[in-house]
Amino acid sequence: AATAAAETASDAAFEILDRLPATQREAFAMLKLEGLTTEEAARRAGVSVSALKVRAHRAYKALRKALAAQSDE
């Protein structure tokens, strides 16, 4: 049962990520899924470290908000 719940949460997270703007999704993926440093991710995206941090923060915020709304349902 716990595995099914974790799988459902994971599926929900990926659905939410798919709905994010590409720049936010890319920042999240590079930092959290690929494990790049902020500097590496910024260089790869061709933006400043500050811009990458803003994109990632917005992605985290949207993900938290959407997951919280789903858990309330």
Side-chain angles (χ1 to χ4, degrees):
T3 304
E7 198 170 293
T8 301
S10 178
D11 289 345
F14 279 107
E15 284 180 27
I16 294 161
L17 286 172
D18 283 342
R19 287 182 272 174
L20 292 177
T23 55
Q24 292 177 20
R25 188 173 50 250
E26 176 186 46
F28 180 90
M30 287 190 289
L31 294 173
K32 296 301 179 187
L33 303 179
E34 295 179 37
L36 297 180
T37 66
T38 307
E39 292 77 14
E40 291 168 333
R43 193 169 30 257
R44 187 188 289 180
V47 298
S48 69
V49 170
S50 295
L52 194 283
K53 286 180 178 180
V54 168
R55 291 174 181 185
H57 174 74
R58 288 178 179 162
Y60 303 147
K61 186 176 174 183
L63 185 59
R64 279 192 303 270
K65 182 178 178 181
L67 288 173
Q70 263 193 343
S71 70
D72 290 342
E73 292 177 357

